[in-house]
Amino acid sequence: MATPAINSAASAIGGQASAAGGGFAALSSTDFIKVLLTELSNQDPFQPQDSGALLEQLSSLRNIESQLSLQKGLESLVLQNGVTSAAGLIGKDVEGLDANNDSISGVVASVRVERGKAVLELSSGKSLAIDRVTSISQPTGA
C-alpha cells in the first residue's frame, strides 16, 4: 500500500512509472533508495504499515548496497587489468587517436592512471589513453 509520503517522493524525483511498467519499475537504484528512505522515515516504527513489507524493503536496500559494492570492486579489477595491460606496452611503438581524434604515435615510456583509466606516456611527451590505441609494434631499432 502506497503512502502519501511515497507518492510525493516519487513525484518529486520524477519517478512515476508508466502503467505498463507497474509501480516504480522505471526508477533508478538511486531514486529507489530515496523513495524507500522517505517511506521508512515517515513510518511509525512501532506501528509499521506491514511488517512483511518493511522487511522486504530492508532486504531490497541491502541487496542494492551489495550490488553497488560489487560494482565498485569490478571497476577496480577492470582498472588493475588495464594498468597491467598498459605496463606490457612499455618499450613498444604504439599508434592511436588522442582526445581530439588526431593520430599520434611513439614509444611507450611509462603508464599512469587518470580518471580511472590507464594512460600511456609516450617518449614524444604525448599521452594516449589505452582504449584509444589502434596499433602496437616492436620498435624498429630492436
Side-chain angles (χ1 to χ4, degrees), residues 60-116:
S60 294
L61 186 58
R62 288 181 191 249
N63 285 337
I64 290 171
E65 288 174 344
S66 294
Q67 289 172 356
L68 292 174
S69 176
L70 178 61
Q71 180 181 355
K72 286 181 183 179
L74 288 174
E75 287 171 355
S76 175
L77 285 174
V78 168
L79 175 60
Q80 290 174 9
N81 188 33
V83 170
T84 301
S85 296
L89 297 177
I90 292 176
K92 303 230 173 141
D93 275 325
V94 295
E95 293 180 23
L97 301 173
D98 65 9
N100 297 323
N101 286 329
D102 294 327
S103 182
I104 60 172
S105 63
V107 176
V108 178
S110 64
V111 176
R112 65 181 164 83
V113 174
E114 183 178 297
R115 295 185 202 129

